[in-house]
Amino acid sequence: MRRRIRSAAFPLHRHSLPQLLVDGVLVALAYFLAYRLRFEFHVTGQYEELFENTVWWVVPVSLAALAAFGVYQRVWTFVGQREYEGVVKGVVLSTLVIVGAIALLHPVQTPPVLRVKHNVFSLQSSAVTLPASVIALFLLLAMVLLVGARFIVHLVIEGRARSFRASKGARDVLIVGAGDGGRLVVRELARNPQLGLRPVGFVDDDPRKQGFKDEYGLRALGTTDSEDLARILDDVEPDEVVIAIPSAPGTLRARVVAACRTRGIPVRTTPTVFELLRDGSGRVEVTRQLREVQVEDILGREPVRVEIERVGAYLAEEVVLVTGAGGSIGSELCRQIARVGPRRMVLLDHAEDNLFEILRELEEDRHVRTAVPVLADCKERERMREVLEEHRPAVVFHAAAYKHVTMMELNPVEAIRNNALATQLMARLAGEAGVGTFVLVSTDKAVKPATVMGASKALAEWAVEASAARYPQTRFATVRFGNVLGSSGSVVPIFRRQIAAGGPVTVTDPRMKRYFMTIPEAVQLIIRAGSLSESGTATCGELFVLEMGDAVGIVDLAETMIRLSGLEPERDIAIEVVGARPGEKLHEDLFNPHERPQPTPAQKIVRAQRDAVDPEWVEQTFTDINLLVLEGDPAALAKRVDKLARRRLSAGDLDARLAT
């Protein structure tokens, strides 16, 4: 508060001194020329005296009026419309003050004149006032000189005075987007000709911008329509294309990338506001932050955007526990929850390195002081009971799980122990401890499970649903979604490593398709689903499914990633079909046959309506499975889990048919 008051009282800084000096000279010049122009450079004695007696205080009064409107709070390099308005207001105010002061103070009097009135002789003189024409000339000249000086400085700094000059051998750049982002890129290129990039025009879908030129003479050459874009690329033949629309939908990015890749033109994109804020350098140099178009940019659907401060308000000033806090989903959960301002955020993970990394990021990079690391395993009953009793969380996000399908097929005992039994334990202990909300992070592989990993997550969903029936004071919810780009279980990091190694990129089956979304999207919707349960708009134990858009072909994804790396599929990087792994499905589903999608108040979230599971049956099922886990017989365990899953699905199908 003290700094704000000081800034308001003295709206100047050390860089204002040269500006004050220049403005003082310009104001004095305007005042001088106003007299000279009015009297055609022959100023009479009394007006010459008026000028000399007032100019010494006219200049500081004018500067004070300009300062009052914040003119000297910003250097001329960054002058804009607000500064020009401040100059106009300051000149008008100073003119009024000057006219009023001269009228009240009478700094100059006319020579005394002998007058006779009623036979009485007296010497009389009158005050010399400022002529209206001098007032008008001073007002106009001061505005022109002060605004003009700022405009010229800004013009020179921006490079417009010398037009656009790039270094010798500069590469031609076509910019997609003629809005603020595109103009920002052009302005940066004008300031830094050493970058070796020369813009040749814009591509924009706004019909109002077609044919119009910007301040550098660059025109919008057409739209991003496939045929129009192809024509522009063939006519202009740019060396590079920059997508300068940070919020551009995936369909537009995909269209631009496809057209450019067929012609061997590299494509880069400007960062989003989120990426600029995460940069942390405090400098916005767009050309240095241009990046290659990433696979998540062109998935062909609009990104999910959630106002996390609003939908996650139920977490504010609460104790929140995140299990698996060091994993890909768990760590992003911690980042997003930290923005809401919880009273305490308990980070639980059994991997020391992962827990250390997310804690260091929260404390050092994000300045979070409410994070408490807990090194523990969700499978240990007494340890989990201690954690819940010590911290008393109001909300638990259970994201701890094994994700790799092949690894879980080779280790079915550990898959069931970690994904199913640990979830049952956490849900039960949360209910006993009186936790307000418990949210399980599930997967689409739990739908009609064909692998041990999928079956273990299906069991986890049943465990949460059964706990909801046993502990009504706790609101239980499950969130189910598909593949997450960049997560430890995603195919994208595998493809990136294979491309970096020169190939081949291995695809299990060319017909295979999967649903994809980004980690921030998934986490924001998980938090939103938790708010549905918290607000009481959903029945306890509900299962929420995130809308994933259209499924993406794995072969198409592989080819896109190869092209984004500047290579061509089959020519530079081979795509090898290795065959589907045991239990791997060609297409994942988001709903079981007995589940019926129902809308919710939240965008991109639907509720899976289904018949309630019998808690006693779930309890007996987990007792049997636990015995098999203790015996350590993987073959018998896998057979038993598969039989249970099929039995549950068959019963659900029968219930669904009877209901219809």
Side-chain angles (χ1 to χ4, degrees):
M1 180 64 69
R2 184 179 302 171
R3 291 185 61 183
R4 292 183 181 178
I5 293 174
R6 183 180 302 170
S7 177
F10 302 96
L12 304 174
H13 53 79
R14 60 187 179 89
H15 299 291
S16 302
L17 297 179
Q19 299 176 23
L20 284 168
L21 180 61
V22 172
D23 283 352
V25 172
L26 294 177
V27 169
L29 179 61
Y31 197 59
F32 174 79
L33 291 177
Y35 280 88
R36 293 300 182 269
L37 293 175
R38 163 61 179 83
F39 297 104
E40 299 180 354
F41 294 93
H42 297 288
V43 184
T44 59
Q46 59 186 15
Y47 289 109
E48 181 72 25
E49 184 181 359
L50 179 63
F51 170 77
E52 294 176 352
N53 289 349
T54 57
V55 68
W56 63 271
W57 58 263
V58 163
V59 172
V61 165
S62 299
L63 296 180
L66 292 171
F69 287 99
V71 171
Y72 301 112
Q73 291 180 328
R74 183 176 298 185
V75 295
W76 287 0
T77 306
F78 305 105
V79 69
Q81 180 180 350
R82 182 174 299 179
E83 284 68 35
Y84 291 135
E85 291 178 357
V87 169
V88 173
K89 293 176 181 177
V91 171
V92 171
L93 176 62
S94 64
T95 303
L96 294 176
V97 172
I98 292 168
V99 173
I102 293 176
L104 292 175
L105 300 178
H106 308 307
V108 176
Q109 301 281 337
T110 59
V113 177
L114 183 63
R115 296 183 183 276
V116 180
K117 188 175 183 180
H118 304 294
N119 297 323
V120 177
F121 293 89
S122 63
L123 293 174
Q124 296 183 358
S125 62
S126 60
V128 178
T129 58
L130 202 59
S133 53
V134 172
I135 298 172
L137 286 171
F138 172 71
L139 181 69
L140 294 175
L141 288 171
M143 285 185 183
V144 170
L145 292 175
L146 294 174
V147 171
R150 284 161 172 77
F151 182 74
I152 291 173
V153 171
H154 187 60
L155 205 65
V156 173
I157 295 298
E158 289 294 322
R160 299 174 194 168
R162 60 177 184 272
S163 186
F164 196 97
R165 262 190 339 188
S167 60
K168 186 177 181 181
R171 293 163 53 85
D172 291 340
V173 178
L174 181 66
I175 300 173
V176 178
D180 293 337
R183 293 198 298 271
L184 184 62
V185 172
V186 173
R187 189 177 300 118
E188 188 73 17
L189 296 179
R191 289 177 175 178
N192 302 280
Q194 69 276 10
L195 292 172
L197 298 174
R198 177 177 52 243
V200 294
F202 296 100
V203 175
D204 199 286
D205 291 333
D206 189 347
R208 296 172 299 180
K209 297 177 182 177
Q210 301 303 317
F212 283 90
K213 293 183 179 181
D214 71 345
E215 59 267 36
Y216 294 97
L218 300 176
R219 293 190 302 113
L221 305 176
T223 67
T224 61
D225 178 73
S226 298
E227 295 183 0
D228 203 12
L229 181 61
R231 174 189 61 78
I232 295 170
L233 292 174
D234 292 336
D235 291 345
V236 177
E237 296 184 351
D239 298 304
E240 186 174 338
V241 171
V242 172
I243 301 176
I245 311 175
S247 60
T251 52
L252 185 148
R253 296 177 188 271
R255 195 161 58 245
V256 173
V257 170
C260 292
R261 291 307 183 194
T262 58
R263 296 164 174 79
I265 302 173
V267 182
R268 289 194 285 174
T269 183
T270 55
T272 63
V273 174
F274 177 73
E275 291 171 316
L276 285 172
L277 293 175
R278 288 190 62 182
D279 177 67
S281 65
R283 302 176 64 187
V284 183
E285 296 181 350
V286 175
T287 52
R288 294 189 180 183
Q289 299 191 47
L290 291 177
R291 57 171 172 81
E292 289 289 333
V293 177
Q294 299 171 353
V295 63
E296 49 263 41
D297 293 329
I298 58 172
L299 284 179
R301 62 173 175 82
E302 294 291 338
V304 178
R305 293 185 176 88
V306 175
E307 296 179 9
I308 197 66
E309 289 80 4
R310 178 176 58 84
V311 302
Y314 69 101
L315 302 175
E317 298 302 325
E318 298 285 359
V319 178
V320 182
L321 169 64
V322 179
T323 69
S328 51
I329 296 295
S331 60
E332 184 63 23
L333 264 171
C334 296
R335 297 184 191 102
Q336 299 285 351
I337 293 171
R339 295 169 53 188
V340 182
R343 178 159 54 92
R344 188 187 316 144
M345 189 162 52
V346 183
L347 318 181
L348 191 148
D349 204 294
H350 73 282
E352 179 190 17
D353 290 344
N354 292 346
L355 187 60
F356 173 80
E357 287 299 325
I358 184 59
L359 179 66
R360 184 201 60 78
E361 177 185 338
L362 291 174
E363 291 184 342
E364 297 183 9
D365 298 344
R366 300 173 184 270
H367 308 291
V368 176
R369 297 292 179 260
T370 58
V372 179
V374 174
L375 192 62
D377 195 330
C378 292
K379 300 187 293 291
E380 298 178 1
R381 180 186 302 273
E382 292 306 317
R383 178 63 173 136
M384 290 301 99
R385 195 188 304 274
E386 291 174 0
V387 172
L388 292 174
E389 289 179 353
E390 177 184 357
H391 296 284
R392 295 290 178 182
V395 182
V396 173
F397 290 98
H398 184 51
Y402 290 142
K403 304 179 181 68
H404 294 280
V405 174
T406 304
M407 190 67 69
M408 295 303 96
E409 288 295 312
L410 298 174
N411 300 273
V413 174
E414 192 60 28
I416 299 300
R417 180 186 289 123
N418 189 77
N419 289 359
L421 297 180
T423 299
Q424 184 202 33
L425 174 63
M426 288 298 302
R428 180 178 297 174
L429 292 177
E432 294 175 356
V435 171
T437 302
F438 183 96
V439 180
L440 168 67
V441 178
S442 188
T443 172
D444 58 357
K445 292 177 175 58
V447 177
K448 294 185 288 188
T451 62
V452 172
M453 201 279 282
S456 68
K457 296 299 288 185
L459 287 169
E461 291 184 2
W462 302 344
V464 171
E465 189 176 353
S467 295
R470 289 185 178 275
Y471 306 100
Q473 75 279 9
T474 299
R475 304 200 63 85
F476 289 87
T478 299
V479 183
R480 182 193 291 166
F481 50 87
N483 288 34
V484 178
L485 290 171
S487 69
S488 58
S490 172
V491 71
V492 173
I494 298 175
F495 283 175
R496 282 181 178 146
R497 288 194 297 270
Q498 292 175 340
I499 294 171
V505 173
T506 57
V507 176
T508 54
D509 192 296
R511 298 168 296 172
M512 188 169 293
K513 292 185 176 182
R514 291 292 184 267
Y515 294 102
F516 287 99
M517 71 190 320
T518 65
I519 292 177
E521 282 182 307
V523 167
Q524 290 172 8
L525 293 176
I526 290 170
I527 296 175
R528 180 68 176 102
S531 71
L532 292 177
S533 177
E534 177 74 16
S535 62
T537 58
T539 305
C540 191
E542 291 282 32
L543 189 150
F544 299 105
V545 181
L546 309 186
E547 292 185 5
M548 304 289 294
D550 297 328
V552 178
I554 297 299
V555 171
D556 296 335
L557 180 65
E559 291 177 347
T560 298
M561 292 187 64
I562 293 172
R563 291 192 177 99
L564 288 176
S565 301
L567 305 171
E568 280 297 319
E570 301 300 346
R571 186 190 70 185
D572 302 312
I573 299 289
I575 297 178
E576 181 180 344
V577 179
V578 297
R581 292 183 287 266
E584 196 169 33
K585 295 182 290 186
L586 295 180
H587 191 283
E588 297 285 3
D589 297 304
L590 295 174
F591 296 92
N592 282 305
H594 61 281
E595 295 172 342
R596 297 171 293 281
Q598 299 294 327
T600 70
Q603 185 184 12
K604 299 293 185 180
I605 299 178
V606 295
R607 179 173 56 88
Q609 182 180 357
R610 57 183 181 177
D611 296 323
V613 68
D614 183 5
E616 298 298 332
W617 178 82
V618 173
E619 186 71 26
Q620 184 58 47
T621 297
F622 272 85
T623 300
D624 297 342
I625 290 176
N626 194 31
L627 290 175
L628 292 174
V629 168
L630 293 175
E631 292 175 1
D633 187 346
L637 179 63
K639 184 177 180 180
R640 174 65 170 162
V641 169
D642 181 66
K643 183 178 179 180
L644 285 170
R646 293 180 185 278
R647 176 183 173 185
R648 170 63 177 157
L649 291 174
S650 298
D653 293 341
L654 178 60
D655 294 340
R657 287 194 295 271
L658 291 175
T660 56

